Amino acid sequence: MDFRILGPVEARRGGEWVALSGSKVHTVLAALLLARGRVVSDARLGALLWGWDPPVTASAQIYTYISRLRKHLGEEVEIVRRQPGYVLRAPGARIDVVEFERLDRLGREALQDGRHLEAQALLTEALGWWRGSALSNVTEFLLEAELPQLEEARMFALENRIEADLALGRHEQVTAELTGLVGEFPVRERLRAQLMTALYRCGRQADALHTYYEGRKVLVDQLGVDPGEALGATYQAVLGGELGLAEAGGFGRSGAPAMLPAAEGELAGRDAELAALTARLGSPDGRPRRLLVTGMAGVGKTALAVRVAVDSAEHFPDGQLFAELCRPDGTAKDPGEVLVRLLRALGEPGLDGAGGAGAAQDRDELVRLYRARTAGKRLLVVLDDAAGDLQVAPLMPAGARCAVLITSRSRLARVTGADTVALAALDDDDALAVLAAAAGRDRLLADPDAADDLVAYCGGLPLALAVMGARLAARPHWPARRFADRMADPRTRLAELSFGDLDVRRALLPSVRRTTPQGRETLAALAGWGTEPFSAREAGTRLSLPEEAAERLLESLVDGALLDLSGLDPQGLPLYRCHELVLLYAASMGAHDTTAVG
């Protein structure tokens, strides 16, 4: 018999899953397994099932759940009544959390003894028992009681495994992983210290220091504390050159910049675009490789570009550069600021501290240095969220051996149509796959109508689907129907599409800010038109404008990724369509306040 709690709570007998239903039954089983052969009292079971207010029939209901478990688990498992509760006995059964803890203990011992290769293998095997968030189908009360310590054990094992990787000289392999982890857990100082170490050993001293300064600010802002001993010691080691950088000041293959963020999971519905972009980057034909991924906010441009860059890394042995060209509020960064960051990654001396600030004042000199550093190299430069051609022009590397992959909400004149990929919203099947990857397919299949409603309300927008998937995963005890009902009201739908740092409304805001006041007036007018395609002539009639003037306004909204081209009418003229979530945003701007974009 196999039991699993490091993910959904499950039981398996002879290769077949045991059919258990309902969060209450899963909660009782998980509580008994976590007790590791000790008695779980009725009072504790009641608290884990119903919180502080168990029903008067709690004892009878607990007995019912125990009876169901006995029936489904069979004779291999004993659930015995022992006052004041129950105990589970399953000789010979394999429990994933027990296996994880055993391998984790052995891995820690190997790490302490300096047996790094053995430690890395043991800890990797230990982490392999995790299948997602633990206890994902139990009550919120058990989740609150047990999940924090399980997650902490997992993170400690992960940090130890990375420690072994670093000791084995695998800093290049773990840099991307650490970058993602520090972004997800910004106040875990050991992870940040490990990222600083990996960056330093990759020849990226400036980025290592930036990681420290960023962490210090986060700790002060969020917790009101200064960096602890481990992070402070790593900072001093970077300043003192004590972290074992192989060739200080050298820029060879071993020190090639590797700035790409961690790639996300499977990109549902993007196979054709992924194949086309990867093929173009991998097959230079003499033409400059200047590729553009465009589309509305939240359509998945960055995720696709990063995956393409990661998959194409072997063609660019001199490194991969990555730069975000806009700040979180959507304002464009000055190209000089971006050039300083790229030059630091390329090993250009004299750009740290005040020197960097002074050099940033002379953009022409920065462009010259950048082109000199990139000339003749096989580099891939990824420029994310470009505001326009003027911003991108100084960031173009020198030489035909370099390639540039750009994401932007707008079309760019310096990228040909043949090298432009315009992303559309996902179809229903792919959208459902995105939701299922986050929330679990079984959970959605339990209420297919609710799943279909959620897919429809998200409009095929990957960001909206990611938000909803994250919310479903964070509330495993909520049925999908509850989320669908909350999303049903168009007036509050955008508010529902927000979770943590993911926010559909905030993602759309920069696109609206970049358009003209007349464009915002037009967008506000579109709010009541629905999602059916319309022509410039129809728009002119509704807006009381000549057809040509209406077409110019509509085309400006297309260029700003707020309107889609939907085909041609019988006369061969373009038809336009507005995404339903953009329409909801337009409606929220207010009929009389067309300049309100916040």
Side-chain angles (χ1 to χ4, degrees), residues 262-399:
E264 297 181 9
E266 294 299 318
L267 291 174
R270 303 301 189 204
D271 291 347
E273 294 88 347
L274 179 61
L277 290 166
T278 304
R280 178 74 177 95
L281 286 178
S283 304
D285 55 8
R287 294 186 295 129
R289 285 173 290 175
R290 307 287 187 262
L291 281 66
L292 172 66
V293 180
T294 187
M296 70 176 289
V299 81
K301 302 181 292 294
T302 302
L304 175 62
V306 170
R307 174 54 58 84
V308 170
V310 169
D311 289 355
S312 304
E314 63 180 312
H315 303 298
F316 301 97
D318 292 317
Q320 306 89 44
L321 301 174
F322 180 90
E324 295 175 338
L325 302 191
C326 285
R327 296 181 178 83
D329 64 356
T331 57
K333 293 181 181 178
D334 184 271
E337 175 187 347
V338 179
L339 282 168
V340 168
R341 177 173 172 78
L342 295 178
L343 282 165
R344 285 173 178 166
L346 290 167
E348 181 65 30
L351 291 177
D352 295 324
Q361 297 174 7
D362 188 349
R363 187 187 299 174
D364 290 341
E365 176 63 13
L366 290 172
V367 171
R368 185 194 67 77
L369 287 171
Y370 179 63
R371 289 176 179 166
R373 275 286 181 178
T374 56
K377 295 190 183 299
R378 286 181 288 174
L379 282 165
L380 174 60
V381 182
V382 181
L383 303 175
D384 186 40
D385 200 12
D389 285 281
L390 291 178
Q391 185 192 34
V392 166
L395 307 176
M396 292 292 106

Side-chain angles (χ1 to χ4, degrees), residues 530-542:
T531 59
E532 290 300 314
F534 58 88
S535 66
R537 180 175 302 168
E538 292 172 303
T541 301
R542 296 189 183 193

Side-chain angles (χ1 to χ4, degrees), residues 432-445:
L432 183 61
V434 172
L435 272 184
R441 182 167 294 275
D442 290 345
R443 186 174 177 191
L444 296 181
L445 290 177

Side-chain angles (χ1 to χ4, degrees), residues 522-530 582-588:
T522 304
L523 186 64
L526 292 177
W529 294 11
V582 176
L583 289 176
L584 293 180
Y585 186 102
S588 73

Side-chain angles (χ1 to χ4, degrees), residues 208-290:
L209 291 172
H210 175 75
T211 299
Y212 172 81
Y213 297 137
E214 182 184 66
R216 183 175 64 184
K217 184 177 186 302
V218 168
L219 289 168
V220 171
D221 290 349
Q222 295 190 16
L223 303 178
V225 299
D226 291 321
E229 181 179 351
L231 191 56
T234 305
Y235 171 66
Q236 293 298 327
V238 172
L239 293 178
E242 302 167 4
L243 288 180
L245 183 63
E247 297 177 11
F251 180 69
R253 300 293 175 90
S254 62
M259 300 177 70
L260 297 177
E264 297 181 9
E266 294 299 318
L267 291 174
R270 303 301 189 204
D271 291 347
E273 294 88 347
L274 179 61
L277 290 166
T278 304
R280 178 74 177 95
L281 286 178
S283 304
D285 55 8
R287 294 186 295 129
R289 285 173 290 175
R290 307 287 187 262

